[in-house]
């Protein structure tokens, strides 16, 4: 009997142990942090060399302080490219020294760096040197050199506290649009095909899969797989995607179950991603993931980075301060009637005429088109410094010469003026299309024209004539000057403006490249053509029509806006101002 009781007790105790989970059976967990940056664009210290003024909205020196606060032993630091271009950092390209931005990347101890599209602006020798100089793992999975070899590996696997993290790096294939000549001997492949092949190859070798892609969220120019949405819909194996290129602040986004982040440019933000992992057999699996966007303006510059890059700061400031000429008799653009609506985008100005005049002079083309990259750009009477060229012309674009006909010009112009919203009865201001950036609105010289904003897109260009008043005919043929971005992105690539078989002819690339890009040509024009002295000259060859507002109510709107009683709405992402007109109802 005692034996039976003992057996019964043992059985009860065994059942109890089975029914109540032991603390020892709780799954083992770990955390992994990923800090992602991108689109740093030469902002190594908190100084804007184009403006030659302090700029604490973000810099690598400030990033260093923020990274130190968020980093621990289980942190990966990755960057998705566009590092060495902009903010006058291009003056260091071609030097035997390691570029100051790459010195900063090395000093901060990045784990992975991926080329952006702007790395290719300076040619493949610069790309190779940059990849060689960076001390972390450089990844470029879809660019092959003239020998058919990858210019860098497509992936790497890093172990942190026993967790295996695979990182894949790609750049948008649209680099062949923007830097076709630089990539002429290279092959740029579909990033989705390369990504799929890598994932299949490394299956079972990783616990966490991270993408670091210099690509935006959606496809560009209708090119399949040029946005991470296509990639992630086809490759749901990713846990995290650090996207870039669009300069958008995306703290977190879910695409097909993958956590996606993106940063603003010029080191204004960084993404902090936290993963919780749970033991899964011999490996680990992600069971939770969160992320946030950190504003870098809130952080002081790291004195160590300031000291490390101090000599480059001095060089950049001295370069920016060079006086190259004089402006007399007034500013190149009028003051805005309404602060948030740039006058230079709703009327012809001496500023845009200067840019187009330079492009026409150096190409010999009778027609030119250019955009105002910085909407509040202006130049005021007094000394003209080298840094002022960046105010007028922000980017390092080169000059292209194309041949087209009147019909093609009209299509191009209609594409450009889609920038304006259609004017409606009751509107009291001109407004801009929220889906179009200012850099995609070209203004034309060498022809006279009107933009009737009351008409729908596609039928806005009216009274298009040559300077002598002769109408521009469809069959008229002529040369036109544009920058390399416009030429390769829209004018020479079918789909956005022209169909295949209806493209303008490319006559010459990098016109007067021995001088430099458009920005350098503006400086050369002021010094060597104008003798160092310019004054505002505007021929008013175009104007907006169709905005038949009540002038008295328009002035009332102007006054109410100035008094802060009304506000001008910007696009949701903040990148396009003035996307909604002030109306009669607003001032009632």
């Amino acid at each position: 009997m005692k034996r039976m009781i003992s057996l019964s007790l043992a059985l009860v105790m065994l059942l109890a142990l089975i029914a109540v989970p032991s603390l020892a059976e709780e799954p083992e967990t770990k955390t992994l942090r990923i800090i992602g940056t991108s689109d740093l664009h030469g902002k190594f210290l908190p100084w804007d060399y184009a403006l030659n003024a302090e700029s604490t909205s973000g810099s690598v020196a400030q990033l260093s302080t923020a990274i130190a606060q968020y980093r621990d032993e289980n942190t990966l630091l990755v960057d998705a490219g566009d590092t060495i271009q902009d903010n006058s950092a291009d003056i260091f390209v071609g030097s035997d020294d390691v570029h100051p931005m790459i010195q900063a990347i090395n000093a901060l101890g990045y784990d992975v760096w991926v080329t952006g599209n702007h790395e290719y602006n300076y040619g493949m020798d610069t790309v190779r040197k940059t990849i060689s100089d960076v001390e972390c793992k450089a990844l470029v999975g879809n660019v092959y050199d003239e020998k058919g070899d990858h210019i860098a590996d497509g992936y790497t696997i890093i172990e942190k506290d026993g967790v295996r993290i695979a990182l894949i790096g790609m750049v948008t294939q649209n680099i062949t649009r923007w830097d076709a000549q630089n990539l002429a001997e290279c092959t740029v492949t579909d990033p989705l095909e390369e990504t799929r092949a890598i994932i299949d190859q490394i299956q079972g070798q990783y616990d966490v899969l991270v993408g670091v892609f210099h690509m935006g969220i959606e496809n560009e120019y209708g090119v399949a797989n040029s946005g991470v949405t296509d990639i992630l819909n086809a490759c749901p194996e990713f846990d995290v995607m650090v996207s870039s290129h669009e300069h958008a602040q995306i703290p977190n986004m879910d695409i097909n179950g993958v956590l996606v982040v993106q940063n603003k440019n010029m080191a204004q933000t960084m993404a902090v991603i936290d993963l919780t992992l749970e033991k899964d057999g011999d490996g680990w699996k992600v069971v939770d993931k969160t992320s946030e966007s950190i504003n870098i303006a809130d952080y002081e510059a790291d004195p160590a980075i300031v000291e490390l890059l101090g000599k480059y700061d001095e060089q950049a400031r001295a370069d920016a301060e060079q006086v190259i000429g004089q402006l007399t008799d007034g500013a190149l653009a009028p003051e805005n009637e309404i602060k948030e609506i740039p006058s230079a985008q709703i009327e012809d100005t001496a500023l845009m005429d200067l840019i187009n005049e330079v492009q026409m002079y150096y190409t010999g083309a009778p027609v030119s088109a250019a955009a105002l990259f910085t909407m509040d750009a202006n130049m005021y009477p007094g000394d003209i410094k080298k840094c002022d060229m960046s105010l007028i012309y922000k980017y390092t674009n080169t000059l292209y010469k194309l041949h087209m006909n009147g019909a093609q010009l009209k299509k191009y112009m209609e594409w450009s003026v889609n920038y304006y919203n259609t004017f409606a009865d009751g509107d009291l201001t001109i407004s801009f299309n929220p889906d179009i950036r200012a850099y995609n609105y070209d203004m034309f010289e060498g022809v006279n024209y009107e933009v009737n904003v009351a008409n729908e897109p596609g039928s806005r260009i009216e009274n298009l004539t040559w300077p002598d008043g002769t109408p521009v005919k469809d069959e008229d043929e002529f040369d036109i000057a544009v920058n390399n971005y416009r030429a390769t992105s829209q004018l020479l690539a079918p789909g956005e403006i022209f169909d295949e078989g209806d493209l303008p002819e490319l006559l010459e690339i990098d016109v007067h490249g021995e001088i430099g890009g458009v920005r350098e040509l503006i400086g050369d024009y002021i010094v060597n053509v104008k003798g160092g002295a310019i004054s505002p000259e505007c021929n008013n060859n175009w104007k907006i029509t169709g905005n038949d507002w009540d002038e008295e109510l328009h002035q009332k709107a102007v006054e109410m806006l100035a008094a802060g009683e009304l506000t001008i709405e910007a696009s949701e992402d903040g990148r396009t101002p003035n996307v909604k007109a002030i109306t009669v109802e607003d001032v009632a």
Side-chain angles (χ1 to χ4, degrees), residues 211-222:
V212 187
F213 281 36
H214 194 84
M215 295 165 56
I217 302 299
E218 303 296 339
N219 294 334
E220 284 187 292
Y221 314 116

Side-chain angles (χ1 to χ4, degrees), residues 128-148:
R128 293 186 185 97
K129 182 179 187 302
T130 305
I131 290 172
S132 174
D133 287 341
V134 74
E135 293 174 358
C136 64
K137 187 68 175 181
L139 300 179
V140 197
N142 62 320
V143 181
Y144 296 79
D145 64 18
E146 65 278 4
K147 298 177 181 177

Side-chain angles (χ1 to χ4, degrees), residues 93 112 153 308 370 379 421 430 432 552 555:
V93 173
V112 161
D153 289 340
L308 174 69
M379 187 183 292
N421 287 329
I430 302 295
F432 307 144
E552 185 176 336
Q555 289 302 320

Side-chain angles (χ1 to χ4, degrees), residues 181-499:
Q181 187 68 20
N182 293 338
L183 290 155
E185 296 183 357
C186 297
T187 301
V188 180
T189 55
D190 187 323
L192 175 55
E193 293 179 6
E194 298 285 359
T195 300
R196 184 72 264 167
I198 290 172
I199 293 174
D200 292 343
Q201 175 188 342
I202 64 175
Q203 198 65 42
Q205 300 178 37
Y206 64 85
D207 302 304
V208 178
L209 183 59
V210 178
V212 187
F213 281 36
H214 194 84
M215 295 165 56
I217 302 299
E218 303 296 339
N219 294 334
E220 284 187 292
Y221 314 116
V223 176
N225 309 326
S226 62
V228 299
T229 298
D230 277 6
I231 304 294
L232 299 180
N233 283 335
C235 302
E237 295 92 339
F238 279 103
D239 296 292
V240 171
M241 173 62 72
V242 178
S243 172
S244 57
H245 184 55
E246 293 175 316
H247 304 174
Q249 186 171 9
I250 302 177
N252 51 68
M253 175 185 287
D254 183 290
I255 300 178
N256 199 24
V258 181
L259 175 61
V260 180
V261 299
Q262 195 174 131
N263 286 297
K264 295 176 74 173
N265 63 327
M266 296 289 189
Q268 293 180 80
T269 66
M270 74 178 189
V272 176
I273 303 151
D274 287 316
L275 305 180
T276 302
L277 300 103
E278 188 176 281
K279 188 69 175 174
D280 183 29
D282 293 332
W284 299 86
K285 65 179 180 180
V286 176
V287 294
D288 189 39
K289 43 192 175 184
T290 61
S291 63
E292 61 178 323
S293 183
I294 307 302
N295 291 313
I296 302 305
D298 298 334
Y299 293 85
E300 297 293 327
D302 180 349
I305 300 298
V306 173
E307 181 179 1
L308 174 69
L309 303 178
K311 73 172 185 177
Y312 302 101
D313 174 62
E314 292 176 6
Q315 290 176 39
R317 293 196 197 198
D319 182 74
E321 286 285 346
Q322 290 184 60
V323 175
I324 63 169
Q326 290 282 320
L327 172 64
T328 59
D329 302 327
L332 291 183
E335 294 299 317
N336 297 343
E337 180 187 37
I338 296 170
K339 180 182 177 183
E340 298 86 353
I341 305 180
S343 293
Q345 289 201 302
I346 57 175
E347 63 179 283
D348 193 19
T349 63
L351 175 62
M352 286 309 305
D353 281 7
L354 173 63
I355 295 170
N356 277 315
E357 183 180 333
V358 168
Q359 293 190 166
M360 294 164 75
Y361 176 85
Y362 286 99
T363 59
V367 181
S368 176
L372 186 67
F373 298 133
T374 306
M375 286 182 287
D376 58 354
N378 206 347
M379 187 183 292
Y380 299 95
D383 287 344
I384 302 173
K385 299 177 181 178
K386 185 178 178 181
C387 59
D388 294 329
M389 300 306 98
S390 294
L391 286 177
I392 295 173
Y393 204 94
K394 179 179 180 181
Y395 296 117
T396 57
N397 297 123
T398 58
L399 185 58
Y400 274 40
K401 183 178 180 180
L402 280 60
H403 187 76
M404 65 170 55
N405 60 37
Q408 291 168 325
L409 177 64
K410 291 172 187 175
K411 286 183 180 179
Y412 176 16
M413 296 177 79
E414 289 289 359
W415 169 85
S416 179
V417 298
N418 191 35
Y419 181 67
Y420 297 110
N421 287 329
T422 303
F423 187 85
D425 288 342
D427 285 356
L428 296 174
T429 58
I430 302 295
S431 62
F432 307 144
N433 187 329
D435 298 322
I436 299 177
R437 307 296 176 220
Y439 57 74
N440 276 331
Y441 171 51
D442 286 351
M443 288 162 268
F444 296 80
E445 188 56 70
V447 290
N448 301 324
Y449 62 101
E450 296 174 357
V451 184
N452 190 334
V453 292
N455 292 343
E456 293 299 322
S459 59
R460 290 176 170 171
I461 298 298
E462 297 180 339
N463 299 319
L464 177 61
T465 68
W466 295 111
D468 64 2
T470 305
V472 175
K473 300 176 183 177
D474 287 353
E475 61 271 21
D476 288 348
E477 295 190 12
F478 51 90
D479 298 339
I480 183 170
V482 295
N483 68 40
N484 67 306
Y485 176 86
R486 183 68 69 242
T488 57
S489 298
Q490 282 90 21
L491 300 179
L492 299 174
E496 195 163 350
I497 302 176
F498 304 115
D499 297 328

